[in-house]
Amino acid sequence: MSSANQTPENQARDLIDQKLAQAGWDVQDKNAINFNASLGIAVREYQTDAGYVDYALFVDRKPVGIIEAKRDEEGHRLTVVEEQSREYADSKLKHINNQPLPFIYESTGKLTRFTDRRDPKPRSRLVFSFHRPETFQEWLTQSKSLRDRLPDIPTLDPTGLRNCQVIAINNLEKSFKRNLPRALVQMATGSGKTFTAITAVYRLLKFADAKRVLFLVDTKNLGEQAEQEFMSFVPNDDNRKFTELYNVQRLSSNYLAKDAQVCISTIQRLYSILKGSPLDEAAEETNPNEMVQRKQPVPVAYNPRVPIEFFDFIIIDECHRSIYNIWQQVLDYFDAFLIGLTATPDLRTFGFFNENIVSEYTHEQAVMDGVNVGYEVYTIETEITKNGSRLIAQEFIEKREKLTREKRWTQIDDEIVYAGTQLDRDVVNPSQIRQIIRTFRDKLPEIFPHRQEVPKTLIFAKDDSHADDIINMVREEFDEGNDFCKKVTYKAKEDPKSVLSQFRNGYNPRIAVTVDMIATGTDVRPLECLIFMRDVKSRNYYEQMKGRGTRTLSHDELKKVSGSAPSAKTHFVIIDAVGVEKSVKTDSRPLETKRSVPLKDLMQGIMMGATDTEAYTSLAGRLARLERQVTSEEAQEVQNLTQGAKLGDIAQALLNACDLDVIEDRAKQDYQTDNPTLEQLEAIHESLSRHVSGLFTGQLIEYLDNVRQVHEQYIDSLNLDKVTYAGWSQEQQTQNETLITDFKAFIEVNKDEITALRIYYNLPYQQRPVTYQMVKEVLDILKKDRPHLAPLRIWQAYAQIEQVSSQPINELTALVTLIRRVIGLDETLTPHENRINRAFQTWVFQKQAGASVKFNEEQMQWLRAMKEHIISSFALEREDLDYAPFDSMGGLGKLYQLFGDEMEAIIEELNTALVV
């Protein structure tokens, strides 16, 4: 045990001895060696022909490595002594005719570097502690080290992969081969980050013989989603599913299966496993970015059940929010390659991953490639949303208890003025909610023209109470039942997974309301509309929320849930009802604790093991105040949830856990000593902290958070709201203009290369008809080279600018109309079928003018059928008359019977007249 009068060298050796013992090594003096004591023996001061090495490591009696010990002050010089360590490792140990030893450590006990000399270009790396003897024994049975196996990974077969995924995997494997410890994969939401990661994991397990990979998430639902993707993944070089080839374990308890090659865990659970403490599942439902950020997180200690080498690779999903502070300790603990996955990195993310960005695939690039769809912004502004309102003194106002939702009437003594930011927290104005929902309903034909059903829509609410108000209003305003609109949050009475599955795959619900559960990471591909009824201050969180709508979906798949969808999903719409697009955003939450940290965050942090004094005293003070405010029924419920502890008891326990006098008195009592050692004081502190942490559960935190909030809300039914603006945002107008400019540039560049464009540019001099195949050629080139210029998206841009309400029949007819508009054949966006119908009427009128023979009804029936064919196929060929609908009308023979020798001229005239 260390003491104040020891030399720095002896203190370092004491720490090294402790860490070796924790990792399963039996530390022995050179004069008392007993190889029967353990598989792994660490012998102090062992003689070599280069001098005495501080520690010689033996596994099953064979020397495998050395440790060069240095005092704490020399931590910054550990790399300097690597040459000295190498000389010891290359030397002959006394009594042993050994080969050069492969494993080398330099350590102060607090800081340890490790080199595996079997690696290509051996490079030392920081490790949390020492590897176990069993690990060295296993490694030495392998012909190559892991880092030496990585270059053997074969060239990637790109079959079934997007180009962005191929680039990410290839660059990631290049990073591994360079022995770079950290790598960042930045890929837009919807571009297949998880699929990319699973492909990389499969290749590491199969070709590099990686022992175990950790897939780390930060919420329970992301872990469940990742598990489903592993279960459905089928590699392109094997027809078996991933889970048939390798064992995958999603951690739902503190049990880690040693035979699992892939472990899926929340970072919260892994932290609790390392600490050896149980975890309430509620802690896995909130992402760490929402929790309190602590100055001094409780340190992770070595856990022999989970040694540092337990994982070879750690993939960190949504890494932009789970690599800091308390959570970084979990990552620093393991001797593993770290791979971050995120769509929205910030500067700290780049820094953590050593600026080793192996993939930079942005949302804009994904839209350009057709991997994602873009979005358009529609704004709804109301007077009360912007300015708030006031409740006049002496008025009778309805109040609602927030938890039970019981209502009562009360007369207010003083005037109450509320701001828009207080809506749905202190004051609920039903008219404000109604006006937003009603405007959305009434403007649907403008936002989504010619849709027979409401597109799949997700509404972001402020909290569960707000979500309930929105749901009731949606059902009422749309005159629909319960199935039409549902809540999808962890607190929903109906199973959230079931509702989410219905939302993804069923016709109903058409509208879902959420607070947090599907704000990030959860896929709902048919989503076409996001309504923000809450503001978001975090830039990353907002981008993640927007990412819920970016997923592409084919026309056939979209029609399964939205039958009137005219095409594949081409874009989604953000309806901004609170100014979220314009509000100031910050990059991340601050790293240091501030007084403004919400009560819920403080409690969750302490449940997870925070022990810094500021968090404890802050929470103790708040709970003491809360105890004076709660009703007797609420106080009793707290005791029910804590098995008897009152709020005051919890506050006192918090203060005791950081009171040095209390800690010292308890140590004196428990250890029966007047002078407790530092280790004894730390043990008491840990015991008191663990007791406090155990008092908090997800159920208690949720209850106290609701109790802390305003017990009652005013229901302002007196002030009716009114919409001040509803329309496409100014930014959307600019985006539309950019899209149109890009489309015009495409047409101009290709006007001499693509047949259909060449014909249109030469009208009316070129009388050759444009055929279906010619237009299809233009569409195919657009989809391949410029997917973001999808005809229906360009149509939407033109329609918003030129205020056209009509909708094209399909992509091809839209494309013809757009080409004519760009070239200047039409002055406004004129739907293809409208133009054909008008041209047909003109042609018929001209043919029957004057003394010409009038068409009879049977002839007109044929002419109308020919016109309809031209609308859908752009031209009428002679052979078309042998197929539907003409075959049932008598075909080519009947047409000749009706028009005689004029038949060929009629076909040619129709093609020419209706094209121009």
Side-chain angles (χ1 to χ4, degrees), residues 535-549:
D535 198 3
V536 184
K537 297 302 184 185
S538 164
R539 182 178 293 108
N540 277 341
Y541 195 41
Y542 181 48
E543 292 300 324
Q544 291 282 312
M545 292 166 81
K546 288 196 299 186
R548 299 313 95 221

Side-chain angles (χ1 to χ4, degrees), residues 266-279:
T266 62
I267 198 163
Q268 300 94 307
R269 181 162 296 284
L270 197 61
Y271 177 64
S272 74
I273 289 173
L274 292 179
K275 286 175 58 210
S277 59
L279 179 71

Side-chain angles (χ1 to χ4, degrees), residues 312 661 690 702 751 773 794:
D312 290 327
D661 291 334
R690 193 180 293 266
E702 195 60 45
K751 67 180 182 180
Q773 288 302 325
I794 306 301

Side-chain angles (χ1 to χ4, degrees), residues 501-534:
S501 177
Q502 295 167 19
F503 191 43
R504 280 193 186 109
N505 306 311
Y507 182 81
N508 279 323
R510 303 307 303 169
I511 299 175
V513 183
T514 191
V515 177
D516 48 16
M517 186 174 174
I518 48 178
T520 62
T522 306
D523 294 342
V524 183
R525 291 182 178 274
L527 258 182
E528 295 185 83
C529 186
L530 304 178
I531 303 180
F532 281 85
M533 293 183 71
R534 59 168 286 194

Side-chain angles (χ1 to χ4, degrees), residues 458-723:
L458 180 64
I459 301 178
F460 293 111
K462 295 172 184 173
D463 55 29
D464 274 79
S465 178
H466 187 212
D468 286 337
D469 289 334
I470 292 170
I471 288 168
N472 293 330
M473 197 66 74
V474 167
R475 291 170 178 171
E476 183 179 322
E477 287 297 315
F478 279 88
D479 190 22
E480 294 287 353
N482 295 346
D483 289 344
F484 179 79
C485 179
K486 291 188 176 183
K487 186 196 296 187
V488 189
T489 75
Y490 290 111
K491 302 168 198 168
K493 292 181 180 177
E494 191 172 351
D495 177 19
K497 292 183 194 174
S498 173
V499 177
L500 189 56
S501 177
Q502 295 167 19
F503 191 43
R504 280 193 186 109
N505 306 311
Y507 182 81
N508 279 323
R510 303 307 303 169
I511 299 175
V513 183
T514 191
V515 177
D516 48 16
M517 186 174 174
I518 48 178
T520 62
T522 306
D523 294 342
V524 183
R525 291 182 178 274
L527 258 182
E528 295 185 83
C529 186
L530 304 178
I531 303 180
F532 281 85
M533 293 183 71
R534 59 168 286 194
D535 198 3
V536 184
K537 297 302 184 185
S538 164
R539 182 178 293 108
N540 277 341
Y541 195 41
Y542 181 48
E543 292 300 324
Q544 291 282 312
M545 292 166 81
K546 288 196 299 186
R548 299 313 95 221
T550 63
R551 306 285 180 170
T552 59
L553 198 63
S554 70
H555 191 195
D556 288 342
E557 290 297 314
L558 184 56
K559 282 201 298 183
K560 288 179 181 178
V561 296
S562 297
S564 65
S567 69
K569 182 176 168 184
T570 59
H571 69 289
F572 69 99
V573 175
I574 289 175
I575 296 182
D576 183 1
V578 291
V580 68
E581 275 281 301
K582 297 178 181 177
S583 65
V584 177
K585 304 285 187 290
T586 57
D587 280 334
S588 300
R589 297 187 65 163
L591 283 173
E592 294 187 353
T593 304
K594 295 199 186 322
R595 292 179 182 177
S596 60
V597 171
L599 176 70
K600 182 177 182 180
D601 288 359
L602 273 176
M603 292 189 292
Q604 283 181 320
I606 286 169
M607 178 177 71
M608 290 303 299
T611 58
D612 58 294
T613 301
E614 188 174 350
Y616 271 46
T617 56
S618 176
L619 182 56
R622 295 195 208 184
L623 294 184
R625 287 195 299 274
L626 190 59
E627 186 178 38
R628 295 191 293 271
Q629 299 168 0
V630 297
T631 65
S632 58
E633 291 83 2
E634 290 166 342
Q636 182 58 52
E637 181 61 20
V638 170
Q639 288 185 262
N640 294 341
L641 292 172
T642 59
Q643 297 181 338
K646 301 176 183 178
L647 286 174
D649 298 333
I650 301 173
Q652 189 60 55
L654 285 161
L655 294 175
N656 289 344
C658 57
D659 187 321
L660 297 180
D661 291 334
V662 171
I663 293 170
E664 185 175 2
D665 288 344
R666 181 71 62 84
K668 288 177 179 179
Q669 178 181 332
D670 287 4
Y671 292 102
Q672 298 182 350
T673 177
D674 291 333
N675 295 299
T677 65
L678 179 60
E679 287 80 0
Q680 289 170 339
L681 293 171
E682 288 176 350
I684 294 297
H685 180 219
E686 172 66 21
S687 173
L688 292 173
S689 300
R690 193 180 293 266
H691 168 67
V692 168
S693 176
L695 289 171
F696 290 95
T697 64
Q699 197 175 2
L700 176 67
I701 290 171
E702 195 60 45
Y703 184 76
L704 290 180
D705 186 52
N706 281 318
V707 168
R708 172 204 60 84
Q709 297 180 39
V710 180
H711 280 64
E712 294 180 307
Q713 300 170 310
Y714 288 104
I715 308 295
D716 179 7
S717 302
L718 302 176
N719 295 295
L720 300 183
D721 202 1
K722 62 181 180 181
V723 175

